[in-house]
Amino acid sequence: MQVVDLDRDAIKRGLDDGSMLVIDVREPHEYSAGHIPGAVSHPLSSFDPQAVAALVAGDGRQPVFSCAAGVRSVQALMAVQQAGLDITRHYKGGFKDWYGAGEPIE
């Protein structure tokens, strides 16, 4: 399995320049309580690699998984890679790092 850890600065740059699609794999109640601006919800509990493939293909930005602290995002990477998708990046610190640093949330 291939995992590329991204930090908060990399996420901010990717969001600022429009090159990054943040896919939040936390549960719906976590996402609705607050998420990284522009992140799309795709909960790990109902995770479908083919739906992710369609989302990524239709979007064109670099996909990056995010969760609360970087554990579930690695599980999502494992699932998509086992399904044959070339997605390797995740936000290592996750929402806890983002929120803890005082970054804006939606």
Side-chain angles (χ1 to χ4, degrees), residues 4 7 9 11 17 22 34 37 66 69 76 81 84 94 100:
V4 176
D7 63 12
D9 289 336
I11 300 297
D17 68 15
V22 176
S66 178
Q81 289 177 20

Side-chain angles (χ1 to χ4, degrees), residues 14-73:
L15 290 172
D16 287 346
D17 68 15
S19 66
M20 190 174 292
L21 171 64
V22 176
I23 303 170
D24 191 325
V25 298
R26 297 176 303 149
E27 294 306 305
H29 70 277
E30 294 172 287
Y31 180 85
S32 65
H35 55 272
I36 296 169
V40 297
S41 178
H42 199 90
L44 192 59
S45 64
S46 59
F47 198 76
D48 177 1
Q50 296 313 313
V52 171
L55 171 66
V56 170
D59 188 278
R61 293 178 285 173
Q62 175 68 50
V64 176
F65 289 123
S66 178
C67 63
V71 175
R72 288 176 282 181
S73 56

Side-chain angles (χ1 to χ4, degrees), residues 1-14:
M1 185 172 95
Q2 188 177 17
V3 177
V4 176
D5 296 329
L6 299 180
D7 63 12
R8 183 175 355 100
D9 289 336
I11 300 297
K12 287 172 64 173
R13 280 192 306 274

